[in-house]
Amino acid sequence: MGNSAYLKKYVENHPNNKMAWYLLGKEYEASGQAGKAHYCYIQAGNVYEAFEASKIPLPEEVLSGYKEGLMKETHRREKRRRFARKLSLALLIALLAWIPSAHAPGDRQAHGPVSAGADLGEAPADVLEPAADPAGGGAPPAAPAFPGPAFTAIGFGGDPAGTQAEAVGGLLALQRQTGFVPIHAAALGMDRTGDWLVWSDDLPVVFGLEQSPDDGRTTLQAYDPAACECAPPDPAELQQQARKWIPQQESLGVLASAMTQYKQAKGAWPSSLQDLTGPYPDNWIAGTDPTMAQAFGPLLVQLKNNGSAASGNGHAKAALAEGMAPGQRPFFAEPYETIVDTKEHVLAVVSGNVLIRSYPVGLGGDRTPEGTFAISEKVVNPNGKDDGEFGSRGMQLSDTNYAIHGTNEPDSIGKDESLGCIRMGKKDVEELFDLVPKGTKVKIGKGILPKLKNVPADRFALGDRQDQTNPHRTYHWLD
């Protein structure tokens, strides 16, 4: 069975190569594994029949060059994978050289080597000294430690080496954006759909970066068996903590988006959370939650400093939410936007290339206008009822007669039966109302979203709601 590992790997990557299946079957047969050999012979099909029925020499006698070629190709693939892993480790080591040690001030211990964990192979043997202080010539003061775990999210899937490099970059970005050293940071994996990364309420833990408080040794660990080709540690505890981080980031995204839209409309930042939660028509957001209440002050400092928490008042180093490192920024760095695909009958909430929600909608065919709009008005129970033609929520588009709203004709969702407006199911429109602040950009076009329904079991909903009805107006949107 000296060549079986290479052949097994080869047929995994080339499942249609019948000769490779036949050679692997011969290896299993020689070792007495008749069941596995039989399976391989079935996959080999007519190649098996040709060799077993002929009088020509055995394959190992006449196909040694072919077999050697398979082995060489497998070796080349493994070499490329090892190189990619070492490249990622080199990046990790280089960046860690600039990150202060987590030891107490005055402790001059060096960072330990970066350990790769089971997924990265052999760890480097060298020990890195902390970067020198340009002014004093010595090691810089040690940064305070944050026990963590601190979380981020990355695109996951496809090329394992590329995913690993992305994880290293994302995890180290957490360390660079604060003055604190996360003793433990973890990356959650988002599925890829075309150019989009798909957010969900149950993102799996895929990589972790952990620093030992005793010797400063840093370990990168893969938690996905396919990525590390190992039996990784159980991520259950990390996963439980991640489920708290995910809704926090959604709330912070809503708050940061609302503050940005308020600034663009008013020319000044909101001075308090109450500036965003006035009754209609000053309902920039539909309510608040504990995350928003804690985060407003430090987030305002970050936004005023263009995302940096390096300067400002006493809020500068405060944590935005429980479980986040002091100075750590919201994951959703770009304001929320709404995109409507008239071809796929899909409406999505996005931040950059991250698709946060995706809902089926009813449209009006050519009567639904294409272009870029903004949510100019948000109202609860338009025309005084929650079961009328506009449902329980309405969001007007740029002071036009078009709106995103609920419907009393749920069977029209997914069809072109409206007069041009965007119809949504009750639960969907109520969640959207809480997710997107007033001022949110709305882009309508064809073929710009995947046909994907992405809604959590537990919907996003804000509490402490103000009066957002408007009994003084009768709405005549083009239903």
Side-chain angles (χ1 to χ4, degrees), residues 146 294-295 298 302 315-328:
F146 171 68
Q294 175 179 337
Q302 289 188 9
H315 286 301
K317 289 299 181 183
L320 295 183
E322 182 181 354
M324 293 181 67
Q328 184 180 347

Side-chain angles (χ1 to χ4, degrees), residues 16 25 75 89 108 116 139 149 182 184 189 226 318 369 402 411 449:
N16 296 322
H75 277 301
L89 277 174
R108 297 297 301 275
H184 194 182
Y402 297 99
D411 290 343
L449 286 173

Side-chain angles (χ1 to χ4, degrees), residues 80 147 161 201 291 320 343 346 472:
R80 286 195 296 270
D201 63 341
T291 295
L320 295 183
K343 178 182 177 182
V346 168
H472 307 295

Side-chain angles (χ1 to χ4, degrees), residues 78-136:
E78 291 296 326
K79 187 176 181 180
R80 286 195 296 270
R81 291 180 63 186
R82 287 195 299 270
F83 173 77
R85 287 173 172 175
K86 289 180 179 179
L87 183 63
S88 295
L89 277 174
L91 172 64
L92 176 64
I93 294 169
L95 290 173
L96 282 173
W98 292 312
I99 299 174
S101 173
H103 293 294
D107 187 344
R108 297 297 301 275
Q109 292 187 28
H111 273 294
V114 177
S115 174
D119 57 314
L120 294 181
E122 187 175 339
D126 56 323
V127 176
L128 298 174
E129 294 288 343
D133 180 0

Side-chain angles (χ1 to χ4, degrees), residues 345-365:
H345 291 80
V346 168
L347 179 149
V349 179
V350 306
S351 172
N353 70 329
V354 179
L355 194 151
I356 302 168
R357 294 288 192 277
S358 185
Y359 311 98
V361 293
L363 301 168

Side-chain angles (χ1 to χ4, degrees), residues 5 9 13 24 33 53 101 123 146 197 209 267 309 317 324 327 335 385 394 412:
K9 179 66 68 175
N13 296 321
L24 181 58
Q33 300 183 65
S101 173
F146 171 68
L197 300 178
L209 188 67
K317 289 299 181 183
M324 293 181 67
K385 45 188 175 179
S412 67

Side-chain angles (χ1 to χ4, degrees), residues 332-409:
F332 296 113
E334 299 183 43
Y336 286 0
E337 295 183 7
T338 299
I339 300 178
V340 179
D341 190 320
T342 57
K343 178 182 177 182
E344 301 294 347
H345 291 80
V346 168
L347 179 149
V349 179
V350 306
S351 172
N353 70 329
V354 179
L355 194 151
I356 302 168
R357 294 288 192 277
S358 185
Y359 311 98
V361 293
L363 301 168
D366 293 338
R367 293 171 293 191
T368 298
E370 295 187 5
T372 301
F373 305 86
I375 295 177
S376 56
E377 183 176 356
K378 297 178 62 178
V379 62
V380 170
N381 298 339
N383 295 342
K385 45 188 175 179
D386 65 359
D387 58 355
E389 59 182 340
F390 301 133
S392 61
R393 302 288 188 273
M395 288 158 276
Q396 189 166 318
L397 303 182
S398 297
D399 299 318
T400 67
N401 281 334
Y402 297 99
I404 303 169
H405 57 69
T407 181
N408 57 3
E409 299 179 33

Side-chain angles (χ1 to χ4, degrees), residues 115-196:
S115 174
D119 57 314
L120 294 181
E122 187 175 339
D126 56 323
V127 176
L128 298 174
E129 294 288 343
D133 180 0
F146 171 68
F151 290 95
T152 188
I154 62 167
F156 187 66
D159 175 40
T163 298
Q164 179 178 298
E166 186 173 347
V168 170
L171 291 169
L172 289 172
L174 285 179
Q175 295 184 336
R176 294 196 302 274
Q177 73 179 226
T178 72
F180 288 73
V181 177
I183 298 300
H184 194 182
L188 311 181
M190 295 181 287
D191 289 337
R192 299 181 185 272
T193 300
D195 295 331
W196 297 100

